[in-house]
Each structure stands twice: as structure tokens, then as C-alpha cells.
């Protein structure tokens, strides 16, 4: 549920900026629906605090080197109080990210991240295989057209 993922990241941003502030967003691609839905959910959540404003959304094409460059430009041009990375290519600068992968877990443990909002990629993969197996072998159709994973927020001391 990409919209919910964005909303959770917006909730984290509001916790980090209770008096308000500015946010820069780095997305993987403007052409990927899930990335755009995360941005939409994020904007919906932070819109409840009129003192938080989104400065710019920069595209990094899910590339770490390009991410570093666009993040550096975003920081030097706009000086945001917080950065939200809503796709891969997150090894530029980090604050709130959506990739629950080992490098991000290490940054979280070190305190370099506020939070990771995970979409449970391994569980997604297993669910797809199970649904496909059931359909092909037993002709059982999935119960739902859309099968969402529960988003989870990982904080520094999450287990």
C-alpha cells in the first residue's frame, strides 16, 4: 500500500518537525506509480500541519551516484530541514527511507536515519508465488484483487 507508506513517512516527518519546517523529497522515477503514490500519501499526511512545506521533489532514477548529486543540489539550493527518500538510490543522504535493506538498517542503528518504512519485499515475493501456485495448480482465484502488505515503521531500536 504505497499511499499508506507515504502517509507513515509523513507521520514520521511530523514527529521530527513538530514546530514545522521544510522537506525535500527524493524519488526514484516520476514515471513509477508506486513512487508517485508514496509522494501523494506523504503530502496528504503533512498537509495536516500547515507549518510543514514540501520544497521540491527530485528524481534520482534509483541510482546511488545520481542520488548523491541530486541530494547535494537539493541541500545546497533549498536547505531542507528533513529529507524523504521514497524509492531506491538512498545511499546519498538519508533521513526517512522506504528500503528495508542491510545498508539502511546499519544507518538506522547508527542513528543516521529517523526511520525506515518497509513494504516487506520478501513477504511480497512469497505471497506472489503462493497466489500464482494456487491459481495455476488448483484454479483458486485470489480472494482480493489487490493484496497489500502491511507497512511497518522501523525505528532505531526496532527489533
Amino acid at each position: 500500500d504505497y499511499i499508506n507508506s507515504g502517509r507513515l513517512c509523513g507521520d514520521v516527518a511530523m514527529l521530527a518537525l513538530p514546530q514545522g519546517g521544510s522537506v525535500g523529497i527524493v524519488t526514484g522515477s516520476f514515471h513509477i506509480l508506486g513512487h508517485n503514490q508514496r509522494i501523494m500519501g506523504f503530502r496528504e499526511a503533512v498537509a495536516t500541519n500547515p507549518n510543514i512545506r514540501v520544497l521540491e521533489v527530485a528524481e534520482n532514477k534509483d541510482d546511488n551516484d545520481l542520488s548523491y548529486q541530486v541530494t547535494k543540489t537539493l541541500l545546497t539550493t533549498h536547505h531542507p530541514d528533513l529529507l524523504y527518500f521514497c524509492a531506491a538510490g538512498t545511499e546519498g543522504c538519508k533521513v526517512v527511507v522506504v528500503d528495508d535493506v542491510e545498508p539502511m538498517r546499519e544507518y538506522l542503528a547508527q542513528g543516521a536515519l529517523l526511520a525506515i518504512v518497509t513494504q516487506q519485499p520478501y513477504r511480497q515475493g512469497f505471497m506472489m508465488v503462493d497466489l500464482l501456485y494456487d491459481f495455476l495448480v488448483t484454479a483458486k482465484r485470489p480472494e482480493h484483487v489487490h493484496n497489500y502488505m502491511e507497512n511497518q515503521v522501523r525505528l532505531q531500536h526496532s527489533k
Side-chain angles (χ1 to χ4, degrees):
D1 188 344
Y2 296 110
I3 294 172
N4 180 254
S5 173
R7 287 179 183 144
L8 287 170
C9 290
D11 290 347
V12 172
M14 289 192 297
L15 289 171
L17 302 170
Q19 303 303 316
S22 58
V23 179
I25 299 175
V26 180
T27 188
S29 173
F30 295 128
H31 303 290
I32 296 179
L33 179 62
H35 297 179
N36 292 322
Q37 288 177 326
R38 284 185 183 131
I39 293 168
M40 183 174 68
F42 183 88
R43 287 181 184 271
E44 286 176 6
V46 299
T48 63
N49 182 338
N51 296 318
I52 294 180
R53 66 189 204 297
V54 175
L55 299 170
E56 181 181 343
V57 179
E59 183 180 39
N60 70 12
K61 302 190 186 305
D62 291 330
D63 177 85
N64 289 328
D65 293 331
L66 181 58
S67 187
Y68 174 82
Q69 293 172 7
V70 300
T71 300
K72 185 176 177 182
T73 300
L74 191 99
L75 289 170
T76 57
T77 304
H78 297 288
H79 309 287
D81 298 305
L82 183 135
L83 292 173
Y84 166 45
F85 288 83
C86 64
T90 55
E91 293 200 42
C93 179
K94 295 138 208 80
V95 176
V96 177
V97 299
V98 295
D99 283 341
D100 186 12
V101 294
E102 192 54 41
M104 295 305 108
R105 289 180 191 164
E106 291 173 19
Y107 292 130
L108 184 65
Q110 296 165 9
L113 294 177
L114 287 176
I116 298 170
V117 176
T118 179
Q119 59 187 356
Q120 302 187 54
Y122 299 108
R123 188 165 169 233
Q124 279 183 37
F126 284 115
M127 178 186 264
M128 287 295 283
V129 171
D130 286 344
L131 290 172
L132 187 59
Y133 175 84
D134 286 346
F135 181 73
L136 294 175
V137 175
T138 66
K140 178 183 173 192
R141 293 193 171 273
E143 189 174 322
H144 305 285
V145 173
H146 300 286
N147 293 277
Y148 294 112
M149 295 291 104
E150 177 185 7
N151 291 300
Q152 296 176 333
V153 178
R154 289 184 168 275
L155 302 173
Q156 187 175 17
H157 297 101
S158 295
K159 294 187 181 210

